[in-house]
Short mmCIF file of all heavy atoms in Angstrom, two decimals:
data_model
loop_
_atom_site.label_atom_id
_atom_site.label_comp_id
_atom_site.label_asym_id
_atom_site.label_seq_id
_atom_site.Cartn_x
_atom_site.Cartn_y
_atom_site.Cartn_z
N GLY W 30 -33.53 4.75 -87.87
CA GLY W 30 -32.27 4.47 -88.53
C GLY W 30 -31.65 5.78 -88.96
O GLY W 30 -32.33 6.81 -89.05
N ILE W 31 -30.38 5.75 -89.25
CA ILE W 31 -29.70 6.99 -89.62
C ILE W 31 -30.00 7.39 -91.06
O ILE W 31 -30.03 8.56 -91.40
CB ILE W 31 -28.18 6.89 -89.36
CG1 ILE W 31 -27.56 8.27 -89.40
CG2 ILE W 31 -27.51 5.95 -90.33
CD1 ILE W 31 -26.17 8.34 -88.84
N GLN W 32 -30.25 6.41 -91.94
CA GLN W 32 -30.55 6.72 -93.33
C GLN W 32 -31.18 5.50 -94.00
O GLN W 32 -31.05 4.39 -93.50
CB GLN W 32 -29.30 7.16 -94.09
CG GLN W 32 -28.23 6.09 -94.13
CD GLN W 32 -26.86 6.67 -94.39
OE1 GLN W 32 -26.51 7.67 -93.82
NE2 GLN W 32 -26.10 6.01 -95.25
N ALA W 33 -31.85 5.75 -95.07
CA ALA W 33 -32.50 4.67 -95.81
C ALA W 33 -31.58 4.15 -96.90
O ALA W 33 -30.59 4.78 -97.25
CB ALA W 33 -33.81 5.18 -96.42
N ALA W 34 -31.93 3.03 -97.43
CA ALA W 34 -31.12 2.42 -98.49
C ALA W 34 -31.53 2.89 -99.88
O ALA W 34 -30.90 2.53 -100.85
CB ALA W 34 -31.22 0.90 -98.41
N ASP W 35 -32.58 3.69 -99.97
CA ASP W 35 -33.02 4.12 -101.30
C ASP W 35 -32.25 5.35 -101.77
O ASP W 35 -31.38 5.26 -102.61
CB ASP W 35 -34.53 4.32 -101.34
CG ASP W 35 -35.06 5.23 -100.24
OD1 ASP W 35 -34.25 5.81 -99.50
OD2 ASP W 35 -36.28 5.36 -100.13
N TRP W 36 -32.53 6.52 -101.23
CA TRP W 36 -31.85 7.74 -101.66
C TRP W 36 -30.74 8.13 -100.71
O TRP W 36 -30.01 9.08 -100.97
CB TRP W 36 -32.84 8.88 -101.82
CG TRP W 36 -33.90 8.55 -102.81
CD1 TRP W 36 -35.22 8.34 -102.55
CD2 TRP W 36 -33.75 8.34 -104.20
NE1 TRP W 36 -35.89 8.02 -103.69
CE2 TRP W 36 -35.00 8.01 -104.72
CE3 TRP W 36 -32.66 8.39 -105.07
CZ2 TRP W 36 -35.20 7.74 -106.06
CZ3 TRP W 36 -32.87 8.11 -106.40
CH2 TRP W 36 -34.13 7.81 -106.88
N ASP W 37 -30.62 7.47 -99.59
CA ASP W 37 -29.50 7.69 -98.68
C ASP W 37 -29.44 9.13 -98.16
O ASP W 37 -28.37 9.67 -97.93
CB ASP W 37 -28.19 7.32 -99.40
CG ASP W 37 -27.06 7.00 -98.44
OD1 ASP W 37 -27.35 6.60 -97.30
OD2 ASP W 37 -25.90 7.17 -98.82
N GLY W 38 -30.61 9.74 -97.97
CA GLY W 38 -30.63 11.15 -97.60
C GLY W 38 -30.33 11.42 -96.14
O GLY W 38 -29.74 12.43 -95.81
N GLY W 39 -30.75 10.55 -95.25
CA GLY W 39 -30.51 10.77 -93.83
C GLY W 39 -31.28 11.95 -93.27
O GLY W 39 -30.82 12.58 -92.31
N GLN W 40 -32.44 12.28 -93.82
CA GLN W 40 -33.18 13.47 -93.42
C GLN W 40 -34.47 13.18 -92.66
O GLN W 40 -34.99 14.05 -91.97
CB GLN W 40 -33.53 14.30 -94.66
CG GLN W 40 -32.32 14.76 -95.42
CD GLN W 40 -32.68 15.41 -96.74
OE1 GLN W 40 -33.82 15.35 -97.20
NE2 GLN W 40 -31.72 16.05 -97.36
N VAL W 41 -34.99 11.98 -92.78
CA VAL W 41 -36.31 11.69 -92.21
C VAL W 41 -36.32 11.82 -90.69
O VAL W 41 -37.23 12.43 -90.11
CB VAL W 41 -36.81 10.30 -92.66
CG1 VAL W 41 -38.10 9.92 -91.94
CG2 VAL W 41 -37.04 10.29 -94.17
N ALA W 42 -35.32 11.27 -90.02
CA ALA W 42 -35.31 11.31 -88.55
C ALA W 42 -35.35 12.75 -88.03
O ALA W 42 -36.15 13.08 -87.15
CB ALA W 42 -34.08 10.58 -88.02
N LEU W 43 -34.50 13.60 -88.58
CA LEU W 43 -34.49 15.00 -88.13
C LEU W 43 -35.77 15.73 -88.53
O LEU W 43 -36.21 16.63 -87.82
CB LEU W 43 -33.26 15.72 -88.67
CG LEU W 43 -31.94 15.24 -88.06
CD1 LEU W 43 -30.77 15.95 -88.71
CD2 LEU W 43 -31.92 15.43 -86.56
N GLY W 44 -36.37 15.33 -89.64
CA GLY W 44 -37.66 15.90 -90.02
C GLY W 44 -38.73 15.56 -89.01
O GLY W 44 -39.54 16.42 -88.63
N ILE W 45 -38.75 14.31 -88.56
CA ILE W 45 -39.72 13.90 -87.54
C ILE W 45 -39.54 14.73 -86.27
O ILE W 45 -40.50 15.24 -85.70
CB ILE W 45 -39.58 12.39 -87.22
CG1 ILE W 45 -39.96 11.54 -88.43
CG2 ILE W 45 -40.43 12.01 -86.00
CD1 ILE W 45 -39.60 10.07 -88.28
N SER W 46 -38.28 14.85 -85.81
CA SER W 46 -38.04 15.61 -84.57
C SER W 46 -38.43 17.07 -84.73
O SER W 46 -38.96 17.68 -83.79
CB SER W 46 -36.58 15.49 -84.13
OG SER W 46 -35.72 16.22 -84.97
N GLU W 47 -38.21 17.63 -85.90
CA GLU W 47 -38.59 19.02 -86.14
C GLU W 47 -40.10 19.19 -86.10
O GLU W 47 -40.62 20.12 -85.48
CB GLU W 47 -38.04 19.47 -87.51
CG GLU W 47 -38.30 20.90 -87.85
CD GLU W 47 -37.50 21.89 -87.00
OE1 GLU W 47 -36.47 21.52 -86.43
OE2 GLU W 47 -37.96 23.05 -86.91
N ILE W 48 -40.82 18.30 -86.75
CA ILE W 48 -42.29 18.39 -86.79
C ILE W 48 -42.88 18.17 -85.39
O ILE W 48 -43.81 18.87 -84.99
CB ILE W 48 -42.86 17.37 -87.79
CG1 ILE W 48 -42.44 17.77 -89.21
CG2 ILE W 48 -44.38 17.26 -87.68
CD1 ILE W 48 -42.61 16.67 -90.25
N LEU W 49 -42.32 17.22 -84.63
CA LEU W 49 -42.81 16.95 -83.28
C LEU W 49 -42.27 17.94 -82.25
O LEU W 49 -42.68 17.91 -81.09
CB LEU W 49 -42.45 15.52 -82.87
CG LEU W 49 -43.10 14.40 -83.68
CD1 LEU W 49 -42.59 13.05 -83.22
CD2 LEU W 49 -44.62 14.47 -83.60
N GLU W 50 -41.32 18.78 -82.68
CA GLU W 50 -40.70 19.78 -81.80
C GLU W 50 -40.04 19.14 -80.58
O GLU W 50 -40.25 19.57 -79.44
CB GLU W 50 -41.70 20.85 -81.40
CG GLU W 50 -42.24 21.62 -82.59
CD GLU W 50 -43.27 22.67 -82.22
OE1 GLU W 50 -43.86 22.60 -81.12
OE2 GLU W 50 -43.50 23.56 -83.06
N ILE W 51 -39.23 18.10 -80.84
CA ILE W 51 -38.48 17.43 -79.78
C ILE W 51 -36.99 17.42 -80.15
O ILE W 51 -36.65 17.47 -81.32
CB ILE W 51 -38.99 15.99 -79.52
CG1 ILE W 51 -38.87 15.13 -80.79
CG2 ILE W 51 -40.43 16.00 -79.00
CD1 ILE W 51 -39.18 13.66 -80.59
N PRO W 52 -36.11 17.35 -79.15
CA PRO W 52 -34.68 17.30 -79.46
C PRO W 52 -34.30 15.98 -80.12
O PRO W 52 -34.99 14.96 -79.95
CB PRO W 52 -34.01 17.46 -78.09
CG PRO W 52 -35.04 17.08 -77.09
CD PRO W 52 -36.38 17.35 -77.72
N ALA W 53 -33.18 16.01 -80.85
CA ALA W 53 -32.72 14.81 -81.55
C ALA W 53 -31.20 14.76 -81.55
O ALA W 53 -30.53 15.78 -81.43
CB ALA W 53 -33.24 14.80 -82.99
N ALA W 54 -30.70 13.54 -81.70
CA ALA W 54 -29.26 13.32 -81.90
C ALA W 54 -29.12 12.30 -83.02
O ALA W 54 -29.90 11.35 -83.11
CB ALA W 54 -28.60 12.81 -80.62
N THR W 55 -28.12 12.52 -83.88
CA THR W 55 -27.88 11.60 -84.99
C THR W 55 -26.57 10.86 -84.79
O THR W 55 -25.78 11.20 -83.92
CB THR W 55 -27.80 12.38 -86.31
OG1 THR W 55 -26.74 13.33 -86.22
CG2 THR W 55 -29.11 13.09 -86.62
N SER W 56 -26.36 9.82 -85.59
CA SER W 56 -25.14 9.02 -85.56
C SER W 56 -24.87 8.44 -84.17
O SER W 56 -23.74 8.39 -83.71
CB SER W 56 -23.94 9.85 -86.02
OG SER W 56 -24.16 10.35 -87.31
N VAL W 57 -25.93 7.98 -83.52
CA VAL W 57 -25.83 7.46 -82.15
C VAL W 57 -25.38 6.00 -82.18
O VAL W 57 -25.89 5.19 -82.94
CB VAL W 57 -27.19 7.59 -81.43
CG1 VAL W 57 -27.18 6.89 -80.08
CG2 VAL W 57 -27.56 9.06 -81.28
N THR W 58 -24.40 5.69 -81.32
CA THR W 58 -23.88 4.32 -81.24
C THR W 58 -24.08 3.70 -79.85
O THR W 58 -23.86 2.50 -79.69
CB THR W 58 -22.39 4.27 -81.58
OG1 THR W 58 -21.68 5.11 -80.67
CG2 THR W 58 -22.13 4.70 -83.01
N LYS W 59 -24.45 4.49 -78.88
CA LYS W 59 -24.66 3.95 -77.54
C LYS W 59 -25.69 4.81 -76.83
O LYS W 59 -25.72 6.03 -77.01
CB LYS W 59 -23.35 3.96 -76.76
CG LYS W 59 -23.36 3.08 -75.52
CD LYS W 59 -21.96 2.86 -75.00
CE LYS W 59 -21.40 1.70 -75.78
NZ LYS W 59 -20.28 1.03 -75.24
N ILE W 60 -26.54 4.16 -76.02
CA ILE W 60 -27.62 4.87 -75.32
C ILE W 60 -27.57 4.50 -73.84
O ILE W 60 -27.43 3.32 -73.50
CB ILE W 60 -29.00 4.47 -75.88
CG1 ILE W 60 -29.06 4.72 -77.38
CG2 ILE W 60 -30.12 5.22 -75.16
CD1 ILE W 60 -30.27 4.06 -78.04
N GLN W 61 -27.73 5.51 -72.97
CA GLN W 61 -27.83 5.28 -71.53
C GLN W 61 -29.05 6.04 -71.02
O GLN W 61 -29.06 7.27 -71.03
CB GLN W 61 -26.58 5.77 -70.81
CG GLN W 61 -25.33 5.01 -71.13
CD GLN W 61 -24.10 5.58 -70.44
OE1 GLN W 61 -24.10 6.70 -69.95
NE2 GLN W 61 -23.05 4.78 -70.39
N PRO W 62 -30.10 5.30 -70.60
CA PRO W 62 -31.27 5.99 -70.07
C PRO W 62 -30.96 6.62 -68.71
O PRO W 62 -30.14 6.12 -67.95
CB PRO W 62 -32.31 4.87 -69.93
CG PRO W 62 -31.52 3.60 -69.90
CD PRO W 62 -30.24 3.85 -70.61
N GLY W 63 -31.60 7.74 -68.44
CA GLY W 63 -31.43 8.44 -67.17
C GLY W 63 -32.78 8.86 -66.62
O GLY W 63 -33.82 8.51 -67.17
N ASP W 64 -32.77 9.63 -65.57
CA ASP W 64 -33.99 10.10 -64.95
C ASP W 64 -34.49 11.32 -65.71
O ASP W 64 -33.95 12.42 -65.58
CB ASP W 64 -33.73 10.45 -63.48
CG ASP W 64 -35.00 10.75 -62.72
OD1 ASP W 64 -36.07 10.24 -63.12
OD2 ASP W 64 -34.93 11.50 -61.72
N GLY W 65 -35.48 11.12 -66.57
CA GLY W 65 -36.02 12.21 -67.38
C GLY W 65 -35.13 12.64 -68.53
O GLY W 65 -35.34 13.69 -69.12
N CYS W 66 -34.13 11.82 -68.84
CA CYS W 66 -33.22 12.17 -69.92
C CYS W 66 -32.61 10.90 -70.53
O CYS W 66 -32.80 9.80 -70.03
CB CYS W 66 -32.09 13.07 -69.42
SG CYS W 66 -30.96 12.24 -68.30
#
Side-chain angles (χ1 to χ4, degrees):
I31 195 166
Q32 61 201 44
D35 52 6
W36 301 112
D37 201 26
Q40 300 172 349
V41 173
L43 292 177
I45 294 169
S46 72
E47 183 70 21
I48 293 164
L49 296 177
E50 298 179 341
I51 59 173
T55 59
S56 303
V57 172
T58 59
K59 196 166 275 198
I60 304 167
Q61 293 177 344
D64 189 26
C66 68

